[in-house]
Amino acid sequence: MNSPETQSQKKPPKILKLAQIYVSAHPRLFLFILFFLIQALVISVVTRNSPPCFLEQSVVVSNHTEECLSGKVYVYDLPTMFNKDLLLHNCTDLNPWNWQCGVASNHGYGGPAAELRPFLPENLSKSWYRTNQFALELIFHERILKHKCRTLKPESAAAFYIPFYAGLAVGKYLWTNDTSKRDWHCEMMLTWVKNQKYWKRSNGSDHFITIGRITWDFRRLTDPGKIWGSTFLNMLEMQKVTRFIIEKAPGDARDVSVPYPTGFHPRTRETLNQWQNYARDYNRSTLFTFIGATRNWVNHDFRGLLLSYCKNESDLCRVVDCASGRCSTDSSVTLKALLGSEFCLQPRGDSFTRRSVFDCMVAGSVPVFFWKRTAYDQYEWFLPGEPESYSVFIDHEEVRNGSRTIKEVLMRYGKEEIRRKREKVIETIPRIIYGMSNGGFEDAFDVAFDGVLERIKEDKEWSD
């Protein structure tokens, strides 16, 4: 038997000897091969110590699922006669006399507000658009289609979205005497949706819709003298459906008021922060402003009263008279006035609220309300719970009878108190705007989307 010493002295095997000869003859090739062998070894070790790629993907899906704790939403694929076909494309958003113009462009956000470029910093002007105040239906539809909690499988959905553009369907016939036309699209849509499997399962209690006009345009009464609007929200099938609407009816829990779309649609948290700082630091040289036009056909028109009052207090109040239609075509006129004023007067509009409430707050101006229903009795999901923290209230009757004057009330506020109110307004801006997609901050769409899922989830748990 050979000892270990004698074994170690044996000649190398023939194959090893041939390898030594080959390396001697081709040293560079050997180093090249050796380099790749080392690389392969390193990759092998790293791969062995980390999870394979498909595990990383499963983690992402798991996290994605956890983000939708209240469930997912299925969007009905409605016939286009109920949405896209209702859009008016052959007009310009510069036409102030046709409310439908401009709704269709850019998924409801409207075209760029080019008139603001000479006035705002370049990085901020790009986030401003000519957004029609009745474009809510398109904006919600676009955002839901791209939402992370949308599902293409109805059997896995917790809620169902009906992308019916009711505001456009009814709005085009509001000024005609044919009430049947105002109801036709609504009736046909409900006929279609009632035949869907998942509607039959819940009778609409887990369904929701967005309506871009005020609730009073959809609650026509049976009294022949009350011919305004549609009966859409009085229809039996709509009694369990949640409706996001720009102004709700008091006492109807299915109406959820959401902010009017303004022209500000930032894409990122950074742009939003920059705008908040811009509004915070802006030099406000006027105590208060009023933007609006008279309503000559209204008895005791309060807006006309405010217009006259402001003109008489020109050293304290800045007036923007919108009677000429200029406010619709040049947003710089209104934005400059709002940015330059500490307070903005917000009387009721054709109904109890108006878009100007949100234009005012986006500009960092403190709103002054004259009716509690303008803001305090709605928008609970979006506005601060303490009205005095972000606004001022002056009863319209006291203003009308002269027992209180706007100037006296507003001049009582010191700089520090105004600053605190403004800070609350600026803090609220993300919750009252509609961003251009998910930009890393919670906006009005997110508040509404998460809120309706949570509401439907709680209703289901309660019924079970």
Side-chain angles (χ1 to χ4, degrees):
M1 181 178 289
N2 295 326
S3 66
E5 288 80 3
T6 56
Q7 288 181 28
S8 64
Q9 292 173 1
K10 284 185 178 180
K11 293 180 180 180
K14 186 175 181 181
I15 188 168
L16 184 57
K17 188 174 182 180
L18 289 173
Q20 289 175 340
I21 295 171
Y22 188 82
V23 168
S24 300
H26 306 280
R28 291 184 179 178
L29 181 61
F30 170 75
L31 290 173
F32 185 74
I33 295 171
L34 182 63
F35 171 79
F36 276 96
L37 286 173
I38 293 171
Q39 290 276 58
L41 180 62
V42 170
I43 292 172
S44 174
V45 170
V46 170
T47 305
R48 198 172 298 157
N49 292 330
S50 62
C53 292
F54 70 86
L55 285 181
E56 290 181 6
Q57 291 174 354
S58 69
V59 169
V60 170
V61 171
S62 175
N63 289 340
H64 183 79
T65 303
E66 290 174 3
E67 290 177 355
C68 304
L69 295 178
S70 297
K72 296 185 178 182
V73 172
Y74 179 77
V75 180
Y76 280 119
D77 186 15
L78 285 181
T80 57
M81 64 180 287
F82 298 122
N83 42 51
K84 294 179 182 177
D85 292 350
L86 295 168
L87 298 173
L88 188 63
H89 295 276
N90 59 344
C91 69
T92 169
D93 60 2
L94 295 179
N95 181 352
W97 311 119
N98 191 336
W99 65 268
Q100 291 177 274
C101 288
V103 173
S105 62
N106 195 19
H107 305 294
Y109 293 103
E115 67 273 17
L116 296 179
R117 290 175 186 165
F119 165 49
L120 294 177
E122 182 179 1
N123 61 318
L124 293 177
S125 66
K126 293 177 181 178
S127 295
W128 283 87
Y129 297 82
R130 291 198 187 105
T131 306
N132 189 293
Q133 65 174 335
F134 299 127
L136 191 76
E137 295 153 351
L138 280 76
I139 292 173
F140 263 70
H141 192 187
E142 171 70 8
R143 288 287 300 273
I144 290 178
L145 289 178
K146 295 180 178 179
H147 199 277
K148 62 179 181 290
C149 294
R150 178 197 174 195
T151 179
L152 299 179
K153 300 176 181 178
E155 65 274 10
S156 68
F160 297 81
Y161 179 63
I162 307 171
F164 173 43
Y165 298 169
L168 289 172
V170 173
K172 64 191 299 184
Y173 299 112
L174 280 176
W175 288 271
T176 70
N177 291 324
D178 191 343
T179 56
S180 63
K181 285 185 177 180
R182 301 184 211 144
D183 290 338
W184 187 82
H185 282 92
C186 303
E187 291 168 346
M188 292 300 100
M189 185 280 293
L190 288 174
T191 299
W192 184 92
V193 81
K194 280 191 302 182
N195 289 321
Q196 305 307 307
K197 173 182 177 181
Y198 295 95
W199 173 279
K200 295 177 181 179
R201 184 182 67 181
S202 66
N203 286 323
S205 62
D206 53 4
H207 287 54
F208 67 101
I209 192 171
T210 307
I211 301 177
R213 298 188 69 93
I214 62 174
T215 191
W216 314 111
D217 292 342
F218 304 91
R219 296 178 178 274
R220 188 176 73 246
L221 302 178
T222 55
D223 182 347
K226 305 291 185 181
I227 62 171
W228 179 261
S230 163
T231 60
F232 183 44
L233 296 184
N234 294 332
M235 295 177 184
L236 180 63
E237 296 84 358
M238 288 300 295
Q239 300 316 299
K240 293 185 177 181
V241 177
T242 298
R243 322 103 183 196
F244 290 123
I245 196 161
I246 54 178
E247 180 178 341
K248 72 175 186 177
D252 190 334
R254 289 295 169 182
D255 271 7
V256 178
S257 50
V258 296
Y260 277 76
T262 67
F264 182 52
H265 307 290
R267 293 181 181 274
T268 66
R269 160 63 76 175
E270 181 183 6
T271 303
L272 171 61
N273 290 342
Q274 289 172 352
W275 175 257
Q276 288 175 299
N277 289 331
Y278 184 77
R280 182 181 291 115
D281 299 335
Y282 201 90
N283 180 27
R284 298 175 189 268
S285 57
T286 305
L287 183 61
F288 58 101
T289 189
F290 173 64
I291 299 171
T294 58
R295 292 290 186 267
N296 295 327
W297 59 89
V298 176
N299 290 331
H300 308 295
D301 177 27
F302 192 74
R303 290 207 269 188
L305 185 153
L306 291 183
L307 201 64
S308 297
Y309 177 77
C310 273
K311 287 179 179 178
N312 291 331
E313 297 287 352
S314 57
D315 55 331
L316 294 173
C317 183
R318 183 169 180 173
V319 179
V320 179
D321 189 344
C322 296
S324 66
R326 189 182 177 197
C327 298
S328 301
T329 59
D330 187 354
S331 58
S332 68
V333 174
T334 56
L335 186 57
K336 284 179 181 178
L338 292 169
L339 282 168
S341 302
E342 302 279 14
F343 299 93
C344 57
L345 308 185
Q346 294 300 331
R348 57 175 294 172
D350 295 325
S351 58
F352 278 96
T353 189
R354 58 183 191 147
R355 167 173 159 163
S356 181
V357 170
F358 302 100
D359 290 335
C360 162
M361 295 182 67
V362 169
S365 188
V366 177
V368 179
F369 299 121
F370 303 90
W371 281 265
K372 291 188 177 179
R373 273 178 61 183
T374 299
Y376 301 158
D377 296 338
Q378 24 182 3
Y379 310 110
E380 298 94 338
W381 293 12
F382 306 89
L383 297 180
E386 307 77 28
E388 66 282 355
S389 70
Y390 74 95
S391 66
V392 173
F393 179 75
I394 310 173
D395 189 276
H396 62 282
E397 290 297 344
E398 294 179 340
V399 174
R400 196 184 296 279
N401 64 30
S403 60
R404 297 179 82 190
T405 68
I406 297 168
K407 175 176 70 173
E408 289 173 354
V409 172
L410 299 184
M411 290 184 72
R412 290 191 192 125
Y413 290 98
K415 289 185 177 180
E416 181 56 27
E417 193 167 4
I418 294 174
R419 187 199 65 78
R420 285 198 300 269
K421 286 181 181 291
R422 173 169 303 108
E423 194 57 39
K424 194 66 176 180
V425 168
I426 291 172
E427 176 187 306
T428 305
I429 289 175
R431 298 176 66 86
I432 61 173
I433 61 172
Y434 300 94
M436 279 283 219
S437 75
N438 181 13
F441 60 91
E442 186 180 64
D443 67 354
F445 170 82
D446 294 316
V447 173
F449 186 92
D450 295 343
V452 74
L453 279 171
E454 190 60 31
R455 168 189 271 202
I456 289 172
K457 179 183 176 183
E458 290 176 358
D459 287 350
K460 189 175 186 305
E461 290 172 351
W462 178 259
S463 63
D464 290 343

